[in-house]
Amino acid sequence: EYTKERVMPIFQTVLEEQRSISKNFKLVLKDEIFYFKCLMFPYDGMVLCQYRDITERSQQKLELERNNRELYEIQKAALIGSWQYESDTRTFSYAGHTDIMCTEEPQDINIDIYLQHVLPEDRETFNNWLEQNLQGDMENSVDYRILYQKQIFYIRLKAFTRERHKDGTTTMEGYIQNITDIQRRRNDINLLTHCLL
């Protein structure tokens, strides 16, 4: 019944408008759900149908959508985004949920301009980490501080892919995380421990 209610109006459209329609449908049979793509053609006052079982593909798509929603919520809760660095243009691109500079739409910034936000005492650490990663040593993450909108934020970067191009340039990708709250709690604990001792 579920499928019939959705298929019959399409049949009517094919007959009345004498045009072909391709549509996906869900078919519920007892405890199982199937998905199929149905191609409908007008043919001598009838509807000629060709259908293909797309259950596996549809289930994979639903699972992927579910995983993406879950990942999206985790990224928001953990204040995580993604970044990409292009060595030829020295462009740092980032997007995500860090609540600092990041939005869901990718943002591009020249690395020299980005470094102006990094606190002076953390720039060497950042530059050393970037150089090590460009050379292929991607084991470590880097923690540093930035000054943005008159506030200091703690940032963590980690690279997870690096691609060396034929022209000698390098593209890297990784995650960026706002660890300000984590670091402030750690600082509070350290201060409290120091006071108690």
Side-chain angles (χ1 to χ4, degrees):
E1 286 302 316
Y2 174 91
T3 309
K4 179 182 173 183
E5 287 173 11
R6 285 151 183 79
V7 171
M8 291 309 291
I10 308 299
F11 270 36
Q12 285 304 119
T13 303
V14 171
L15 288 171
E16 290 168 7
E17 299 181 11
Q18 289 294 295
R19 65 183 178 94
S20 301
I21 296 178
S22 172
K23 207 151 178 67
N24 295 346
F25 295 99
K26 179 166 76 170
L27 178 63
V28 181
L29 296 175
K30 294 185 181 176
D31 295 335
E32 289 190 82
I33 297 175
F34 298 93
Y35 296 89
F36 63 96
K37 175 179 277 302
C38 190
L39 306 171
M40 303 176 211
F41 308 92
Y43 179 75
D44 195 23
M46 297 178 288
V47 178
L48 176 65
C49 296
Q50 174 189 18
Y51 73 93
R52 184 171 64 231
D53 185 350
I54 59 168
T55 303
E56 188 176 335
R57 185 178 77 190
S58 295
Q59 288 173 338
Q60 287 173 346
K61 182 182 174 189
L62 290 171
E63 182 67 24
L64 185 59
E65 287 171 355
R66 191 168 31 255
N67 289 341
N68 282 340
R69 280 193 306 272
E70 185 178 309
L71 181 60
Y72 176 84
E73 293 303 324
I74 290 169
Q75 287 176 332
K76 278 175 61 178
L79 300 175
I80 289 179
S82 60
W83 61 267
Q84 183 173 339
Y85 178 72
E86 301 284 349
S87 69
D88 57 340
T89 59
R90 293 178 50 80
T91 303
F92 186 52
S93 305
Y94 49 89
H97 309 281
T98 65
D99 288 346
I100 319 162
M101 299 169 81
C102 273
T103 64
E104 289 187 40
E105 293 300 315
Q107 310 289 314
D108 296 332
I109 189 169
N110 180 279
I111 196 71
D112 295 321
I113 295 170
Y114 183 76
L115 280 168
Q116 291 173 16
H117 292 286
V118 177
L119 294 189
E121 54 269 33
D122 291 351
R123 286 181 192 155
E124 185 178 351
T125 301
F126 181 91
N127 280 323
N128 289 341
W129 172 85
L130 182 61
E131 191 56 40
Q132 286 173 355
N133 279 263
L134 286 170
Q135 298 304 318
D137 180 6
M138 301 191 315
E139 287 298 310
N140 300 315
S141 60
V142 63
D143 293 353
Y144 59 97
R145 294 163 295 169
I146 64 169
L147 181 63
Y148 181 67
Q149 295 181 342
K150 299 180 181 178
Q151 289 187 61
I152 292 177
F153 295 95
Y154 291 81
I155 303 293
R156 175 171 291 151
L157 285 188
K158 174 79 169 111
F160 50 71
T161 63
R162 173 184 168 274
E163 184 179 352
R164 188 92 167 162
H165 304 290
K166 291 179 182 177
D167 63 2
T169 62
T170 302
T171 300
M172 292 193 311
E173 292 181 49
Y175 76 81
I176 181 170
Q177 184 177 19
N178 176 355
I179 59 167
T180 305
D181 287 343
I182 297 168
Q183 190 61 48
R184 284 183 182 152
R185 282 192 211 109
R186 185 178 297 153
N187 291 346
D188 290 345
I189 290 169
N190 289 343
L191 182 61
L192 184 61
T193 304
H194 183 74
C195 290
L196 292 173
L197 296 176

